[in-house]
C-alpha cells in the first residue's frame, strides 16, 4: 500500500468509528482532524468534502461485514450451521458488535432517511448483497436436499436479515443481547420447519 | 379540554410530526413556532425546553401505537388472528405508517443512542409495554388450548416485535413494504408451529 493509500485508509477507519459511534451529523471535519492527527489540507487533498468521507467509510463498513459473514461460515457443514454462524456475528450486539458503534446499516438508515440519499442508496444496496449471500446459501440447501422445496429462499433470506436488524436495534435500545438471542433461537426453529 | 391543554396538545402533535419526520436534532424551537403559529413565549410557558417537548411528543406516540394495537385486535377470535392483526399495523410502513415519519421507536433509538438517555429509557419502556401486551395474548392462547405449552410467550413476543422493527426499518430503507410482508408471513408460520 502506498503512503497516499495508507493515509486515506487511516482517515476512513478513524472516520467510520466517529460516524458510527457519535453519528454522522455530529461529527465534523475538525473531529476527524483531531482523531487522525492530520491537518485539514491532508484530508481535503484526498476527499472533496465530509460526504465523500462518509460514503468511503460506510463502503468500508460493508466490506468488513461481508468478510465477517464469509469467515463465519468457513468449516461449517450444513446450510443451517452456516446460517446460524452468520446469525451469531451480532451475538454481543450491545458491547462487542463487529463494527464499533453498532450495525452501520441501522445507524445510517435513520440518519440518512431524508437527508443523504446517496448514503441511503448505498446502504440499501449493501443490504441487498447480504440478502443475496444468505439466499444463495438457502438455495444450496434446497439443491443438496437439506431443505424441502417449499422454502422460498429469497423471501426467507430477506426476513432473516431484516429480523436480525430489528434484534440488534432493540438489543442496543434495551442494553441487553436478549433480542439477538431470541432471534437466533427462532431463526433455527424456522429453518427446522423446512429441514428434511 | 381547557384552552391551555389544547395549546399544549397542538404543540405536542405538531412537534411529534416534525421530530419524527425530520429528526429531533434538526428540529428547532423556531420550526415548532412556524408549524404551530405560536410565539416563543406560548411554547416556553408550557415546556421548559426542547427536550421536554421531545419527551412529551414521544410519550404521545406511545399512546397512539398502543391504541392502534388495541383497536386492531377487536372482533378477532383466535390469538393468532389477534397477533396477525397487530403485525398488519405496519403493512404500509413506507407510505402510510401509523405515525407520520415511521416507527417512533426506531427513529429515536438511533438518535438517542448516546445523546439523550431519558428518551432512550422512555422508548425502551414503551417497547417493554408492547412486548407485555403481545406476551399476554400468547399466554391466553396457551391457556385456552390454542397453542402447545412448548411456546415461551415472553421470548416469542420479544422476537416477533423486534423482528417487526427490523422489517419496518429495512422496508423504509428499501422503499418497499416487502420486508414487512415477509415478516408477517413468517410470523404466521412460526405461530403455526405451536398451534394444536
Amino acid at each position: 500500500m502506498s503512503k497516499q493509500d495508507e493515509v486515506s485508509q487511516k482517515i476512513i477507519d478513524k472516520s467510520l468509528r466517529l460516524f458510527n459511534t457519535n453519528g454522522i451529523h455530529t461529527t465534523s471535519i475538525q473531529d476527524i482532524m483531531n482523531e487522525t492527527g492530520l491537518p485539514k489540507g491532508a484530508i481535503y487533498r484526498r476527499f472533496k468534502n465530509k460526504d465523500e468521507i462518509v460514503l468511503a467509510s460506510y463502503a468500508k463498513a460493508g466490506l468488513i461485514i461481508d468478510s465477517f459473514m464469509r469467515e463465519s461460515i468457513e468449516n461449517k457443514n450444513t446450510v443451517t450451521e452456516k446460517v446460524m454462524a452468520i446469525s451469531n456475528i451480532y451475538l454481543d450486539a450491545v458491547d462487542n458488535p463487529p463494527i464499533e458503534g453498532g450495525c452501520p446499516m441501522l445507524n445510517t438508515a435513520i440518519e440518512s432517511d431524508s437527508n443523504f440519499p446517496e448514503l441511503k442508496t448505498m446502504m440499501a444496496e449493501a443490504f441487498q448483497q447480504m440478502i443475496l449471500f444468505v439466499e444463495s446459501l438457502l438455495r444450496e440447501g434446497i439443491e443438496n436436499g437439506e431443505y424441502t422445496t417449499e422454502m422460498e429462499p429469497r423471501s426467507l433470506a430477506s426476513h432473516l436479515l431484516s429480523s436480525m436488524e430489528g434484534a440488534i436495534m432493540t438489543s442496543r435500545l434495551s442494553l441487553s443481547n436478549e433480542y439477538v438471542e431470541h432471534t437466533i433461537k427462532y431463526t433455527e426453529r424456522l429453518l427446522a420447519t423446512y429441514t428434511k
Side-chain angles (χ1 to χ4, degrees), chain A:
Chain A
M1 201 184 270
S2 72
K3 181 112 190 28
Q4 163 82 4
D5 285 345
E6 267 175 46
V7 176
S8 294
Q9 279 306 319
K10 183 180 180 178
I11 295 169
I12 288 171
D13 292 341
K14 299 276 187 190
S15 301
L16 175 58
R17 206 187 64 76
L18 288 171
F19 295 140
N20 211 46
T21 308
N22 305 334
I24 295 169
H25 232 78
T26 44
T27 300
S28 64
I29 293 286
Q30 184 62 54
D31 293 328
I32 297 172
M33 288 162 60
N34 295 344
E35 194 73 13
T36 56
L38 292 168
K40 194 174 268 189
I43 296 172
Y44 280 116
R45 263 201 305 284
R46 290 167 178 91
F47 300 94
K48 212 169 61 202
N49 51 35
K50 188 178 122 182
D51 282 4
E52 257 194 18
I53 307 177
V54 171
L55 291 171
S57 299
Y58 280 100
K60 175 79 182 275
L63 295 176
I64 295 172
I65 296 295
D66 187 68
S67 70
F68 264 96
M69 287 176 77
R70 287 175 198 280
E71 275 168 32
S72 73
I73 65 168
E74 279 172 18
N75 309 315
K76 298 293 180 292
N77 294 313
T78 68
V79 174
T80 293
E81 280 171 20
K82 290 177 188 171
V83 175
M84 296 320 297
I86 291 173
S87 300
N88 274 282
I89 292 175
Y90 271 98
L91 194 53
D92 189 1
V94 176
D95 293 317
N96 191 21
I99 295 179
E100 203 179 330
C103 176
M105 214 181 70
L106 196 55
N107 291 353
T108 56
I110 310 304
E111 243 193 313
S112 62
D113 216 12
S114 42
N115 309 323
F116 199 162
E118 298 90 340
L119 181 60
K120 189 172 171 167
T121 304
M122 195 175 88
M123 299 317 279
E125 282 169 7
F127 187 56
Q128 288 306 316
Q129 289 304 314
M130 283 163 63
I131 291 173
L132 267 175
F133 185 68
V134 173
E135 181 188 351
S136 71
L137 291 176
L138 295 177
R139 223 171 268 287
E140 181 190 314
I142 298 171
E143 279 157 22
N144 73 20
E146 185 175 338
Y147 300 129
T148 63
T149 53
E150 190 207 352
M151 180 186 275
E152 300 167 73
R154 171 102 198 138
S155 99
L156 184 55
S158 301
H159 168 64
L160 294 182
L161 286 168
S162 86
S163 68
M164 184 51 75
E165 290 299 333
I168 295 167
M169 194 273 279
T170 49
S171 279
R172 289 182 67 86
L173 178 69
S174 314
L175 298 178
S176 153
N177 287 319
E178 66 165 310
Y179 301 97
V180 173
E181 289 160 18
H182 295 322
T183 291
I184 290 171
K185 182 167 73 179
Y186 293 106
T187 291
E188 201 156 20
R189 187 173 179 98
L190 210 43
L191 289 176
T193 68
Y194 299 99
T195 307
K196 283 188 188 167

